[in-house]
């Protein structure tokens, strides 16, 4: 049974590789290196921090783009092109298909993040002449955020076209990062329908800022391990929820 | 022991927004027996693909019961013994043929080595060994159909469902697929396939089901259908002089029939007698060919007449039954035009026929 | 799919939702008791932001503005310290130099609440540099110099600058005159606050203005009552039993309620006129100060002081402050300090 999920995952992963997604890593490395070298001397001693800031941001953005762009079409494309028929007609449970797709995409994103991280650490070490271990913590939480977004993309893929799915995912990303401001806004509404609506949005949409410790890390702040654990659990729960919904939707799907 | 059962199965399609009724399939009542090759015929958009999707659990029936190898259509485990090839198949473009088959094999839990061996063997069986390392994106349509058939039997299934497996292939390709299907049958498997290429169905199927406009018109064995269809004989002669033709009452066609004439003799008429008389008149018999209505004619006539679905209906009289014209043999062509039974649709007088009869 | 599995999945979904809610509440609590660095990252530097904000400058400035107000509100209700206020408003105006409201509100927070008028001046001058056509900025500068810094010369200079700008209102000229004449400080101050109250659309600023006006009225009343009291003493040669006695004796026309709804009274211990509102406010502040001293005692000595005298003896506080009209109560078991208003101590 696990072989089926892994089989589908491996195939999805291979598709990603052959799609030359990993060119992104090259783009990343070139960009960070260039920025660091160009901006560094202008920054009055802040070159390390700027390198780390840009590097972490680039990892986050590139991976997010790939996760969403690939993820939102991953199931949809299979249905549209009907490659899915020959898979679903084998002794494959519907949930195995969804999980396989997710694992494959998550694996691709993870490999991307890992390679970019290694490059960032190398560049950072070259610039700072020392090792900022906290970068790994920031990356860990960024990775958890990406897993959440990947699960969301897979869910979107089962219910909407890629464009719609990508727009919705992007919207959730923006709202997720503005979560605290929404809370402030909600409090000012006092009570009433508007307050309830804002509260619902606030509690339902994942607060992605929890997973963003990038600025703290580049300011040299140590992150509390308990915080990391809670934030990771938070992201994991959302990912699970999204996948469960995706499975429930996919189970009922009719292939006209 | 039927391997596939449709029991009062219907599928209703509604437009998703307004819930307007679009199309209904059924009620379908059908049983496919073990070891037979069943042909599912119908014009485009009749509902053949829908039927197969229902059997495979890709769609859920609105009502009725489907039983496939003893389990319901949504049974995932039943699919261990089933093979399926969808219509106009599309496969993962980034894989090679070998990788593709290994991917599917993996879904059945085959071991790595066994998987690899089996994939190679199947590619050989469908004639794609040379392309085993080629990526699917470079495959021609014929190659796609063949690799599709290969993936359908990767698990050595008892029942194989093929949706339009012969469409879009050249005659050589169609011949190969037909042979493969017969080979499957010889190994005890049951094959259910849909097609609108009737000659192929005729050639390899044991039984046939006709689906038109979402309704089953007829399910019958091929031989039964063809037996009941009308036969006649076409006699090709040379050296029949016009006077002789006139004497035999066969001067229906203007022009010179001396070089070549084709005479139709209906089933009930005296074939030997006619041949004898021709020879007496000095004509040379070039060939004597028994003919019958093809499945295509039968099918078309069923469509034209078929407003009442169901089994057990006597086939209506084919419209273009030349044999039903009373009287005897008639000349139908002088070899200068092509001969075809449909040519008789133009009403020809049967004066000649009666005269020949009279001359006997 | 089997029903049991469907139900199982639904249960998982609900469980996930509950856990998410719980974690969320826990994390939010932690977030709002923030340390300085965390707060700093929440209000990033305007200059850096401008590089990163990809053309949504105005929007980002708005978001920072909302956060700035939030910051002000939280700390106003809490410790009344605003260390990041300068940074915040400076950043907002870096991002959006034409955001006049940010200069004005920032200046008020810095001069009135945070007690750093120099920062307010800098902010306003920065704004003036970029927006020379806005009369409000030099006007606010005049205001700050006059009210907070008592620098009448500079105040007059800026008021005159403001009146020279086209479109400036009549009061700019009036205040120029006042400043030059150095009219009674409270009158001008009150007039200025009234102007702020009438012209501003910023709720927080209006509240501050109203509060200031009331405060001034209260002070004026206290002053008037004190003068009546002094006359009574010099004529009658005794202490009046209460403030109402002043009215009865004809030394004061009436004793109204104070502008905040409290009552004026005479503190028998010091012979000073005060009001319940003032007493309550001072009580709150004093209570806070003394409580902090108690906490310091606890953290250094490991136990609570037996009474407030011990606190004073051990040098944790110079004096136990007295607030007219109140009595201080200390509970050695819990360490709580309370300054309660006691009517017996008020002669009305």
């Amino acid at each position: 049974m696990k072989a089926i999920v892994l089989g589908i995952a491996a195939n999805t992963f291979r598709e990603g590789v052959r799609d030359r997604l990993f060119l992104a890593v090259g783009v990343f490395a070139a960009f960070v290196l260039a920025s660091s070298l160009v901006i560094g001397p202008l920054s009055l001693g802040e070159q390390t921090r700027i390198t780390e800031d840009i590097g972490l941001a680039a990892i986050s953005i590139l991976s997010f783009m790939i996760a969403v762009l690939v993820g939102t079409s991953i199931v949809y494309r299979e249905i549209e092109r009907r490659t899915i028929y020959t898979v679903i007609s084998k002794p494959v449970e519907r949930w195995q298909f969804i999980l396989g797709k997710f694992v494959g995409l998550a694996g691709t994103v993870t490999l991307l993040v890992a390679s970019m991280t290694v490059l960032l650490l190398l560049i950072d070490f070259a610039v700072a002449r020392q090792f900022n271990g906290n970068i790994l913590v920031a990356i860990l939480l960024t990775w958890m955020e990406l897993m959440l977004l990947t699960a969301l993309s897979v869910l979107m893929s089962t219910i909407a076209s890629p464009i719609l799915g990508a727009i919705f995912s992007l919207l959730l990303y923006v709202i997720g990062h503005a979560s605290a401001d929404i809370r402030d806004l909600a409090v000012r509404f006092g009570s009433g329908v508007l307050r309830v609506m804002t509260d619902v949005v606030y509690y339902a949409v994942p607060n992605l800022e929890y997973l963003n410790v990038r600025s703290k890390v580049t300011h040299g702040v140590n992150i509390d391990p308990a915080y990391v654990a809670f934030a990771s659990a938070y992201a994991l729960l959302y990912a699970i929820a999204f996948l469960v919904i995706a499975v429930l939707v996919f189970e009922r799907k009719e292939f006209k | 022991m039927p391997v596939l059962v449709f029991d009062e199965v219907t599928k209703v399609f509604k437009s998703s927004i307004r819930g307007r009724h679009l199309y209904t399939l059924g009620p379908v009542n059908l049983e496919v027996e073990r070891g037979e090759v069943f042909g599912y015929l119908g014009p485009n958009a009749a509902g053949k693909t829908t039927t197969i999707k229902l059997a495979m659990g890709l769609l859920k029936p609105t009502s009725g019961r489907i039983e496939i190898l003893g389990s319901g259509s949504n049974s995932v485990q039943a699919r261990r013994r089933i093979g399926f090839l969808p219509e106009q198949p599309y496969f993962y473009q980034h894989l090679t043929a070998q990788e593709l088959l290994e991917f599917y094999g993996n879904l059945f839990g085959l071991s790595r080595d066994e998987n690899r061996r089996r994939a190679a063997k199947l590619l050989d069986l469908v004639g794609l060994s040379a392309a085993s390392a080629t990526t699917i994106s470079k495959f021609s349509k014929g190659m796609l159909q063949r690799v599709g058939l290969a993936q359908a039997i990767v698990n050595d299934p008892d029942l194989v469902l093929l949706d339009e497996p012969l469409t879009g292939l050249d005659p050589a390709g169609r011949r190969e697929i037909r042979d493969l299907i017969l080979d499957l049958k010889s190994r005890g498997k049951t094959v259910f396939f849909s097609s609108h290429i009737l000659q192929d169905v005729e050639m390899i199927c044991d039984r046939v089901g006709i689906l038109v406009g979402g309704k089953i018109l007829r399910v019958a064995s091929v031989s039964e259908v063809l037996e009941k269809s009308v036969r006649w004989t076409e006699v090709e002669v040379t050296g029949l002089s016009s006077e002789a033709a006139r004497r035999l009452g066969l001067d229906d066609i203007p022009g010179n029939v001396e070089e070549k004439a084709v005479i139709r003799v209906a089933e009930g008429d005296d074939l030997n007698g006619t041949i004898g008389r021709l020879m007496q008149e000095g004509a040379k018999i070039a060939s004597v060919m028994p003919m019958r209505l093809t499945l295509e004619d039968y099918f078309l006539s069923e469509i034209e007449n078929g407003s009442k679905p169901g089994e057990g209906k006597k086939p209506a009289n084919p419209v273009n039954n030349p044999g039903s014209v009373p009287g005897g043999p008639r000349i139908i062509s002088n070899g200068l035009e092509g001969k075809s039974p449909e040519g008789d649709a133009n009403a020809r007088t049967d004066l000649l026929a009666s005269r020949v009869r009279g001359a006997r | 799919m089997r029903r049991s599995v469907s139900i199982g999945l639904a249960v998982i979904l609900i469980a996930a939702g509950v856990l998410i809610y719980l974690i969320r509440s826990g994390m939010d609590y932690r977030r709002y008791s923030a340390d300085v660095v965390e707060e700093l990252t929440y209000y990033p530097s305007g200059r850096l932001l401008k590089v990163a904000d990809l053309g949504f400058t105005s929007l980002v400035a708005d978001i920072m503005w909302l956060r700035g107000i939030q910051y002000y509100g939280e700390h106003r209700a809490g410790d009344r310290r605003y260390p990041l206020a300068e940074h915040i408003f400076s950043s907002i105006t870096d991002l959006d130099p034409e955001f006049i409201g940010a200069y004005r509100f920032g200046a008020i927070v810095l001069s009135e609440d945070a007690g750093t008028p120099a920062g307010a001046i800098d902010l306003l001058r920065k704004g003036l540099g970029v927006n020379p056509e806005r009369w409000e900025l030099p006007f606010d500068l005049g205001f700050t110099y006059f009210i907070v810094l008592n620098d009448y010369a500079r105040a007059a200079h800026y008021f005159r600058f403001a009146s020279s700008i086209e479109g400036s209102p009549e009061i700019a000229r009036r205040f120029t005159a006042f400043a030059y004449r150095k009219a009674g400080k409270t009158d001008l101050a009150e007039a200025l606050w009234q102007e702020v109250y009438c012209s501003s659309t910023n709720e927080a600023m209006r509240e501050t203005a109203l509060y200031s006006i009331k405060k001034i009225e209260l002070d004026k009343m206290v002053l008037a009552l004190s003068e009546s009291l002094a006359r009574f003493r010099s004529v009658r040669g005794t202490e009046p039993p209460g403030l109402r006695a002043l009215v009865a004796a004809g030394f004061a026309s009436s004793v109204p309620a104070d502008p905040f709804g409290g009552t004026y009274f005479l503190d028998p211990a010091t012979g000073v006129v005060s009001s319940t509102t003032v007493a309550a406010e001072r009580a709150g502040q004093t209570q806070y100060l003394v409580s902090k001293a108690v906490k310091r005692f606890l953290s250094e000595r490991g136990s609570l002081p037996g009474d407030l005298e011990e606190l004073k003896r051990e040098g944790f506080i110079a004096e136990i402050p007295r607030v007219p009209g109140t009595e201080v109560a200390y509970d050695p078991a819990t360490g709580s300090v309370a300054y309660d208003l006691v009517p017996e101590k008020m002669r009305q």
Side-chain angles (χ1 to χ4, degrees), chain B residues 60-87:
Chain B
K60 296 198 213 327
T62 310
S63 70
R65 180 183 69 95
I66 300 171
E67 203 184 281
I68 185 162
L69 290 182
S71 311
S73 63
N74 56 352
S75 156
V76 169
Q77 291 315 308
R79 298 183 200 149
R80 297 207 156 268
R81 315 287 331 135
I82 299 174
F84 171 58
L85 172 63
E87 124 180 86

mmCIF file of all heavy atoms in Angstrom, chain B residues 60-87:
data_model
loop_
_atom_site.group_PDB
_atom_site.id
_atom_site.type_symbol
_atom_site.label_atom_id
_atom_site.label_comp_id
_atom_site.label_asym_id
_atom_site.label_seq_id
_atom_site.Cartn_x
_atom_site.Cartn_y
_atom_site.Cartn_z
ATOM 1 N N LYS B 60 -20.404 7.236 -10.960
ATOM 2 C CA LYS B 60 -21.303 6.449 -10.137
ATOM 3 C C LYS B 60 -22.676 6.413 -10.786
ATOM 4 O O LYS B 60 -23.166 7.444 -11.224
ATOM 5 C CB LYS B 60 -21.420 7.072 -8.752
ATOM 6 C CG LYS B 60 -20.104 7.054 -7.987
ATOM 7 C CD LYS B 60 -20.348 7.255 -6.508
ATOM 8 C CE LYS B 60 -19.249 7.999 -5.780
ATOM 9 N NZ LYS B 60 -17.898 7.831 -6.200
ATOM 10 N N PRO B 61 -23.305 5.242 -10.840
ATOM 11 C CA PRO B 61 -24.615 5.184 -11.498
ATOM 12 C C PRO B 61 -25.672 5.927 -10.699
ATOM 13 O O PRO B 61 -25.606 5.989 -9.481
ATOM 14 C CB PRO B 61 -24.920 3.676 -11.539
ATOM 15 C CG PRO B 61 -24.120 3.094 -10.443
ATOM 16 C CD PRO B 61 -22.896 3.945 -10.306
ATOM 17 N N THR B 62 -26.615 6.528 -11.407
ATOM 18 C CA THR B 62 -27.726 7.204 -10.751
ATOM 19 C C THR B 62 -28.663 6.170 -10.135
ATOM 20 O O THR B 62 -29.231 6.379 -9.082
ATOM 21 C CB THR B 62 -28.506 8.058 -11.755
ATOM 22 O OG1 THR B 62 -27.579 8.851 -12.470
ATOM 23 C CG2 THR B 62 -29.492 8.954 -11.042
ATOM 24 N N SER B 63 -28.795 5.034 -10.824
ATOM 25 C CA SER B 63 -29.581 3.941 -10.249
ATOM 26 C C SER B 63 -29.097 2.640 -10.862
ATOM 27 O O SER B 63 -28.398 2.628 -11.872
ATOM 28 C CB SER B 63 -31.063 4.140 -10.524
ATOM 29 O OG SER B 63 -31.324 3.948 -11.894
ATOM 30 N N GLY B 64 -29.471 1.539 -10.249
ATOM 31 C CA GLY B 64 -29.092 0.241 -10.786
ATOM 32 C C GLY B 64 -27.858 -0.322 -10.106
ATOM 33 O O GLY B 64 -27.256 0.297 -9.248
ATOM 34 N N ARG B 65 -27.507 -1.504 -10.546
ATOM 35 C CA ARG B 65 -26.412 -2.209 -9.881
ATOM 36 C C ARG B 65 -25.407 -2.657 -10.915
ATOM 37 O O ARG B 65 -25.777 -3.160 -11.981
ATOM 38 C CB ARG B 65 -27.014 -3.408 -9.146
ATOM 39 C CG ARG B 65 -26.040 -4.282 -8.394
ATOM 40 C CD ARG B 65 -26.806 -5.466 -7.794
ATOM 41 N NE ARG B 65 -27.257 -6.371 -8.842
ATOM 42 C CZ ARG B 65 -26.591 -7.461 -9.231
ATOM 43 N NH1 ARG B 65 -25.445 -7.759 -8.678
ATOM 44 N NH2 ARG B 65 -27.072 -8.225 -10.199
ATOM 45 N N ILE B 66 -24.152 -2.514 -10.595
ATOM 46 C CA ILE B 66 -23.097 -2.998 -11.478
ATOM 47 C C ILE B 66 -22.269 -4.021 -10.718
ATOM 48 O O ILE B 66 -21.885 -3.779 -9.570
ATOM 49 C CB ILE B 66 -22.164 -1.850 -11.921
ATOM 50 C CG1 ILE B 66 -22.962 -0.778 -12.664
ATOM 51 C CG2 ILE B 66 -21.048 -2.377 -12.812
ATOM 52 C CD1 ILE B 66 -22.183 0.471 -12.931
ATOM 53 N N GLU B 67 -22.025 -5.132 -11.373
ATOM 54 C CA GLU B 67 -21.195 -6.139 -10.729
ATOM 55 C C GLU B 67 -20.050 -6.479 -11.657
ATOM 56 O O GLU B 67 -20.269 -6.826 -12.826
ATOM 57 C CB GLU B 67 -22.021 -7.388 -10.471
ATOM 58 C CG GLU B 67 -21.457 -8.249 -9.362
ATOM 59 C CD GLU B 67 -22.271 -9.511 -9.222
ATOM 60 O OE1 GLU B 67 -23.342 -9.413 -8.611
ATOM 61 O OE2 GLU B 67 -21.859 -10.551 -9.760
ATOM 62 N N ILE B 68 -18.832 -6.346 -11.166
ATOM 63 C CA ILE B 68 -17.666 -6.605 -12.007
ATOM 64 C C ILE B 68 -16.770 -7.575 -11.265
ATOM 65 O O ILE B 68 -16.302 -7.291 -10.157
ATOM 66 C CB ILE B 68 -16.972 -5.272 -12.379
ATOM 67 C CG1 ILE B 68 -15.833 -5.523 -13.349
ATOM 68 C CG2 ILE B 68 -16.518 -4.476 -11.184
ATOM 69 C CD1 ILE B 68 -15.393 -4.277 -14.083
ATOM 70 N N LEU B 69 -16.571 -8.752 -11.869
ATOM 71 C CA LEU B 69 -15.834 -9.845 -11.228
ATOM 72 C C LEU B 69 -16.339 -10.091 -9.814
ATOM 73 O O LEU B 69 -15.566 -10.274 -8.879
ATOM 74 C CB LEU B 69 -14.327 -9.537 -11.191
ATOM 75 C CG LEU B 69 -13.618 -9.573 -12.538
ATOM 76 C CD1 LEU B 69 -12.134 -9.296 -12.362
ATOM 77 C CD2 LEU B 69 -13.803 -10.931 -13.206
ATOM 78 N N GLY B 70 -17.654 -10.038 -9.685
ATOM 79 C CA GLY B 70 -18.236 -10.363 -8.398
ATOM 80 C C GLY B 70 -18.269 -9.236 -7.382
ATOM 81 O O GLY B 70 -18.844 -9.382 -6.310
ATOM 82 N N SER B 71 -17.649 -8.101 -7.682
ATOM 83 C CA SER B 71 -17.691 -6.994 -6.717
ATOM 84 C C SER B 71 -18.408 -5.801 -7.323
ATOM 85 O O SER B 71 -18.704 -5.783 -8.506
ATOM 86 C CB SER B 71 -16.278 -6.567 -6.337
ATOM 87 O OG SER B 71 -15.491 -7.656 -6.000
ATOM 88 N N GLY B 72 -18.679 -4.793 -6.492
ATOM 89 C CA GLY B 72 -19.284 -3.568 -6.999
ATOM 90 C C GLY B 72 -18.274 -2.778 -7.824
ATOM 91 O O GLY B 72 -17.076 -3.045 -7.780
ATOM 92 N N SER B 73 -18.787 -1.801 -8.581
ATOM 93 C CA SER B 73 -17.894 -1.063 -9.473
ATOM 94 C C SER B 73 -16.939 -0.154 -8.727
ATOM 95 O O SER B 73 -15.968 0.325 -9.286
ATOM 96 C CB SER B 73 -18.710 -0.221 -10.464
ATOM 97 O OG SER B 73 -19.468 0.747 -9.753
ATOM 98 N N ASN B 74 -17.215 0.136 -7.456
ATOM 99 C CA ASN B 74 -16.317 0.997 -6.717
ATOM 100 C C ASN B 74 -15.299 0.187 -5.919
ATOM 101 O O ASN B 74 -14.555 0.735 -5.139
ATOM 102 C CB ASN B 74 -17.117 1.894 -5.769
ATOM 103 C CG ASN B 74 -17.981 1.073 -4.841
ATOM 104 O OD1 ASN B 74 -18.094 -0.149 -5.010
ATOM 105 N ND2 ASN B 74 -18.593 1.710 -3.883
ATOM 106 N N SER B 75 -15.278 -1.097 -6.139
ATOM 107 C CA SER B 75 -14.340 -1.920 -5.387
ATOM 108 C C SER B 75 -12.942 -1.751 -5.933
ATOM 109 O O SER B 75 -12.674 -2.025 -7.100
ATOM 110 C CB SER B 75 -14.754 -3.393 -5.479
ATOM 111 O OG SER B 75 -13.631 -4.216 -5.252
ATOM 112 N N VAL B 76 -12.050 -1.259 -5.090
ATOM 113 C CA VAL B 76 -10.683 -1.043 -5.544
ATOM 114 C C VAL B 76 -9.971 -2.375 -5.737
ATOM 115 O O VAL B 76 -9.167 -2.550 -6.643
ATOM 116 C CB VAL B 76 -9.933 -0.167 -4.527
ATOM 117 C CG1 VAL B 76 -8.458 -0.156 -4.821
ATOM 118 C CG2 VAL B 76 -10.480 1.241 -4.545
ATOM 119 N N GLN B 77 -10.305 -3.343 -4.916
ATOM 120 C CA GLN B 77 -9.595 -4.619 -4.989
ATOM 121 C C GLN B 77 -9.949 -5.414 -6.236
ATOM 122 O O GLN B 77 -9.128 -6.157 -6.748
ATOM 123 C CB GLN B 77 -9.872 -5.441 -3.721
ATOM 124 C CG GLN B 77 -9.221 -4.837 -2.491
ATOM 125 C CD GLN B 77 -7.779 -4.410 -2.763
ATOM 126 O OE1 GLN B 77 -6.964 -5.182 -3.267
ATOM 127 N NE2 GLN B 77 -7.464 -3.172 -2.445
ATOM 128 N N ALA B 78 -11.179 -5.218 -6.726
ATOM 129 C CA ALA B 78 -11.560 -5.941 -7.939
ATOM 130 C C ALA B 78 -10.643 -5.566 -9.091
ATOM 131 O O ALA B 78 -10.408 -6.348 -10.005
ATOM 132 C CB ALA B 78 -13.010 -5.627 -8.295
ATOM 133 N N ARG B 79 -10.110 -4.331 -9.009
ATOM 134 C CA ARG B 79 -9.301 -3.858 -10.118
ATOM 135 C C ARG B 79 -7.967 -4.576 -10.229
ATOM 136 O O ARG B 79 -7.213 -4.358 -11.165
ATOM 137 C CB ARG B 79 -9.064 -2.358 -9.978
ATOM 138 C CG ARG B 79 -10.391 -1.620 -10.032
ATOM 139 C CD ARG B 79 -10.249 -0.140 -9.984
ATOM 140 N NE ARG B 79 -11.509 0.475 -9.566
ATOM 141 C CZ ARG B 79 -11.594 1.588 -8.889
ATOM 142 N NH1 ARG B 79 -10.501 2.234 -8.531
ATOM 143 N NH2 ARG B 79 -12.776 2.073 -8.557
ATOM 144 N N ARG B 80 -7.676 -5.405 -9.260
ATOM 145 C CA ARG B 80 -6.451 -6.200 -9.382
ATOM 146 C C ARG B 80 -6.530 -7.132 -10.571
ATOM 147 O O ARG B 80 -5.497 -7.505 -11.135
ATOM 148 C CB ARG B 80 -6.247 -7.049 -8.135
ATOM 149 C CG ARG B 80 -6.053 -6.237 -6.900
ATOM 150 C CD ARG B 80 -5.221 -6.975 -5.855
ATOM 151 N NE ARG B 80 -4.631 -5.971 -5.006
ATOM 152 C CZ ARG B 80 -3.437 -5.445 -5.211
ATOM 153 N NH1 ARG B 80 -2.682 -5.867 -6.201
ATOM 154 N NH2 ARG B 80 -2.987 -4.507 -4.435
ATOM 155 N N ARG B 81 -7.752 -7.556 -10.884
ATOM 156 C CA ARG B 81 -7.912 -8.537 -11.952
ATOM 157 C C ARG B 81 -8.506 -7.912 -13.202
ATOM 158 O O ARG B 81 -8.974 -8.636 -14.093
ATOM 159 C CB ARG B 81 -8.856 -9.668 -11.485
ATOM 160 C CG ARG B 81 -8.592 -10.186 -10.101
ATOM 161 C CD ARG B 81 -7.369 -11.043 -9.958
ATOM 162 N NE ARG B 81 -7.054 -11.761 -11.166
ATOM 163 C CZ ARG B 81 -5.834 -11.857 -11.685
ATOM 164 N NH1 ARG B 81 -4.826 -11.265 -11.104
ATOM 165 N NH2 ARG B 81 -5.627 -12.549 -12.792
ATOM 166 N N ILE B 82 -8.498 -6.565 -13.263
ATOM 167 C CA ILE B 82 -9.119 -5.894 -14.412
ATOM 168 C C ILE B 82 -8.088 -5.046 -15.132
ATOM 169 O O ILE B 82 -7.180 -4.497 -14.513
ATOM 170 C CB ILE B 82 -10.267 -4.977 -13.941
ATOM 171 C CG1 ILE B 82 -11.327 -5.803 -13.240
ATOM 172 C CG2 ILE B 82 -10.885 -4.227 -15.120
ATOM 173 C CD1 ILE B 82 -12.402 -4.952 -12.623
ATOM 174 N N GLY B 83 -8.232 -4.955 -16.432
ATOM 175 C CA GLY B 83 -7.386 -4.051 -17.209
ATOM 176 C C GLY B 83 -8.273 -3.048 -17.914
ATOM 177 O O GLY B 83 -9.402 -3.351 -18.296
ATOM 178 N N PHE B 84 -7.771 -1.836 -18.089
ATOM 179 C CA PHE B 84 -8.592 -0.770 -18.676
ATOM 180 C C PHE B 84 -7.751 0.112 -19.591
ATOM 181 O O PHE B 84 -6.642 0.516 -19.250
ATOM 182 C CB PHE B 84 -9.204 0.058 -17.538
ATOM 183 C CG PHE B 84 -9.904 1.316 -17.989
ATOM 184 C CD1 PHE B 84 -10.946 1.270 -18.896
ATOM 185 C CD2 PHE B 84 -9.531 2.556 -17.476
ATOM 186 C CE1 PHE B 84 -11.601 2.431 -19.306
ATOM 187 C CE2 PHE B 84 -10.183 3.723 -17.877
ATOM 188 C CZ PHE B 84 -11.218 3.657 -18.786
ATOM 189 N N LEU B 85 -8.275 0.372 -20.760
ATOM 190 C CA LEU B 85 -7.626 1.321 -21.668
ATOM 191 C C LEU B 85 -8.651 2.390 -22.022
ATOM 192 O O LEU B 85 -9.659 2.097 -22.663
ATOM 193 C CB LEU B 85 -7.159 0.594 -22.943
ATOM 194 C CG LEU B 85 -6.625 1.492 -24.066
ATOM 195 C CD1 LEU B 85 -5.382 2.230 -23.598
ATOM 196 C CD2 LEU B 85 -6.309 0.676 -25.301
ATOM 197 N N PRO B 86 -8.432 3.635 -21.625
ATOM 198 C CA PRO B 86 -9.410 4.689 -21.929
ATOM 199 C C PRO B 86 -9.300 5.108 -23.388
ATOM 200 O O PRO B 86 -8.322 4.792 -24.065
ATOM 201 C CB PRO B 86 -9.003 5.830 -20.996
ATOM 202 C CG PRO B 86 -7.558 5.603 -20.731
ATOM 203 C CD PRO B 86 -7.319 4.136 -20.827
ATOM 204 N N GLU B 87 -10.299 5.837 -23.827
ATOM 205 C CA GLU B 87 -10.299 6.266 -25.222
ATOM 206 C C GLU B 87 -9.327 7.424 -25.405
ATOM 207 O O GLU B 87 -9.127 8.238 -24.511
ATOM 208 C CB GLU B 87 -11.737 6.634 -25.576
ATOM 209 C CG GLU B 87 -11.934 8.007 -26.103
ATOM 210 C CD GLU B 87 -13.378 8.294 -26.425
ATOM 211 O OE1 GLU B 87 -14.113 8.707 -25.514
ATOM 212 O OE2 GLU B 87 -13.749 8.068 -27.580
#
